Amino acid sequence: MKNISVIGAGTMGNGIAHVFAQNGFKVNLADISQAQLEKALATISKNLDRQIAKGTLTEDSKQSTLDNITTLTSIAEGVKNVELVVEAATENLELKLDIFRQLDEAASGDCILATNTSSISVTKIAAATRRPQMVIGMHFMNPVPVMKLVEIINGYATSQEVTGKIVDLGKSLGKVPCVVNDYPGFIANRVLMPMINEAIYSLYERVAGVEEIDTIMKLGMAHPMGPLQLADFIGLDVCLSILNVLYQGFGNQKYAPCPLLVNMVNAGYKGVKSGEGFYKYSAGSKDLLVSERFK
Ligand SMILES: NC(=O)c1ccc[n+]([C@@H]2O[C@H](COP(=O)([O-])OP(=O)(O)OC[C@H]3O[C@@H](n4cnc5c(N)ncnc54)[C@H](O)[C@@H]3O)[C@@H](O)[C@H]2O)c1
C-alpha cells in the first residue's frame, strides 16, 4: 500500500494523516469543511515542529511529510486510486452509514475500507457496503502520533486476509496492533468506561472525593492519570455516549451510566472542552484544580 485516504480532518483525522504521511504514504485528506482542512494542516505542521524540537525528526522529513498530504473537500475525488480509506468523521451512525455507501460507490473494488469509530458497530457499517469482507475497524488512540496502540476490530464478515494486511500496515507505521472482535465497546472502551463510571459512582455516593479517587488510581495502580481526570479529557459527553452503547448493546445494568454523569452532561459540564468537569480548567494554567462543586 502506498496511497491512502483519510475521511474527516478533525482531532483524529489530522493525527492519522500525519502518521501515514510521515511513514511515506501519499495521503488524500478529505473533509466537508475547508476550514477544518486548513486547521488540520496547521496542527500537523505544529506537531511536526514539536518532533523536530525533540530531535526525533529533521526539517527535510517535515517538508516531505507535508508534501505527502493533499487536502480535498470531495470524498469521491479523495478515494480515487487509493488502496485504503481510513474514515475518521464525526461519531454518528447515520453519517457513517452514508459515508460508507459513498466510499463503496467511489473506491476501487480492491480498496479496504477502515473506520476509526470508538463505539459504532463495525459489522453494521460494513453491512452498508457491498464489500463487508473488506471493512474493518482501525481504532487509533488520541494523540495519534504519540500513542502506540491501534485496536484492530474484525467485523462479523471481515476476511482474515484483510485483517492480516491491516495488522502488517499498523506495524509498518510503528504502532502495536491488537486484534479484537466486534462487540460493543470492543476492548479499549469496554474495559475503560466501566472503570470511569465506577469512579463517578464512588464520587456520587460520597465514598471519596475527586482528588482521593484519582490519587488512589494514579499512585496505587500506576495509571498516568486518574479516571476522573481522564474522563474530563475524553469529554464527559463522549463517555456518556459510549456507556449508553455498552448499556444498550449488552442489555446489562452494570453499564448503566451514573446519574451524576448524566446530570453533568445535561448541564453542559463536559470536561476540558467546556472548561469544567470534575476539575476546572483555565486557559494557560497547568494546575489541576478540583471543581468547586466537588469541594
Ligand atoms: N477524539 C478522540 O479521542 C477519539 C479517539 C478514538 C477514536 N475517535 C473516533 O474518531 C472519529 C472522529 O473523531 P474526532 O474526535 O476526530 O471528531 P472531530 O469532531 O474532531 O472531527 C470530525 C471531522 O469529521 C468531519 N466530517 C463530518 N461529516 C463529514 C463528511 N460527511 N465527510 C467528511 N468529513 C466529515 C468534520 O468536519 C470534522 O472535521 C469518531 O468516530 C470518534 O469516535 C475519537
Side-chain angles (χ1 to χ4, degrees):
M1 279 182 203
K2 271 285 147 231
N3 300 292
I4 72 127
S5 170
V6 177
I7 309 296
T11 308
M12 297 305 285
N14 85 63
I16 296 168
H18 172 149
V19 167
F20 274 102
Q22 196 184 328
N23 283 281
F25 290 81
K26 295 279 176 208
V27 180
N28 284 345
L29 178 59
D31 199 293
I32 39 166
S33 155
Q34 180 64 34
Q36 277 291 91
L37 289 167
E38 282 160 22
K39 196 170 148 202
L41 283 182
T43 304
I44 294 170
S45 179
K46 197 181 71 196
N47 289 338
L48 289 167
D49 284 340
R50 202 172 285 169
Q51 289 172 263
I52 293 173
K54 275 195 202 153
T56 57
L57 194 79
T58 62
E59 277 288 350
D60 283 355
S61 317
K62 175 186 171 183
Q63 199 48 52
S64 62
T65 301
L66 291 173
D67 290 346
N68 279 341
I69 304 174
T70 305
T71 57
L72 306 102
T73 48
S74 152
I75 289 190
E77 281 298 312
V79 302
K80 266 188 196 159
N81 306 320
V82 301
E83 295 117 63
L84 169 74
V85 178
V86 183
E87 172 275 322
T90 313
E91 186 79 341
N92 173 292
L93 173 64
E94 287 312 317
L95 175 78
K96 290 206 194 273
L97 295 182
D98 184 48
I99 289 176
F100 273 77
R101 279 185 213 110
Q102 290 182 54
L103 294 176
D104 196 29
E105 280 298 319
S108 76
D110 51 6
C111 175
I112 297 175
L113 306 180
T115 174
N116 185 52
T117 181
S118 305
S119 63
I120 295 172
S121 161
V122 173
T123 304
K124 203 180 262 181
I125 291 173
T129 73
R130 292 159 301 177
R131 61 179 97 184
Q133 73 287 358
M134 299 187 72
V135 178
I136 193 161
M138 231 182 152
H139 185 202
F140 289 89
M141 305 289 134
N142 185 20
V144 184
V146 177
M147 299 291 279
K148 282 276 176 204
L149 177 70
V150 193
E151 192 178 27
I152 309 285
I153 302 117
N154 278 329
Y156 197 80
T158 310
S159 76
Q160 278 185 7
E161 191 194 340
V162 166
T163 309
K165 279 188 186 171
I166 295 299
V167 166
D168 290 345
L169 176 71
K171 287 181 186 161
S172 78
L173 297 173
K175 302 290 182 199
V176 178
C178 281
V179 180
V180 310
N181 291 320
D182 181 33
Y183 286 97
F186 319 133
I187 288 295
N189 282 319
R190 180 172 178 170
V191 175
L192 174 66
M193 288 301 160
M195 181 187 72
I196 286 178
N197 202 34
E198 204 57 35
I200 302 172
Y201 260 114
S202 308
L203 180 68
Y204 173 65
E205 291 167 3
R206 297 175 183 271
V207 180
V210 171
E211 264 180 317
E212 288 72 20
I213 293 168
D214 275 357
T215 303
I216 284 167
M217 297 307 286
K218 272 192 289 189
L219 302 187
M221 320 301 155
H223 289 191
M225 70 172 75
L228 299 173
Q229 188 188 359
L230 180 57
D232 272 0
F233 267 96
I234 294 170
L236 300 189
D237 52 339
V238 174
C239 293
L240 176 60
S241 134
I242 298 175
L243 278 163
N244 277 326
V245 167
L246 292 169
Y247 184 36
Q248 283 154 19
F250 291 111
N252 188 329
Q253 195 63 27
K254 76 177 175 182
Y255 300 108
C258 176
L260 171 60
L261 174 65
V262 177
N263 254 356
M264 289 173 78
V265 173
N266 284 343
Y269 292 77
K270 296 180 184 173
V272 176
K273 68 173 102 168
S274 72
E276 188 166 350
F278 298 104
Y279 295 88
K280 181 132 179 79
Y281 304 90
S282 49
S285 164
K286 290 206 164 158
D287 294 340
L288 200 54
L289 300 173
V290 173
S291 159
E292 285 297 325
R293 289 161 193 283
F294 298 113
K295 281 189 173 160

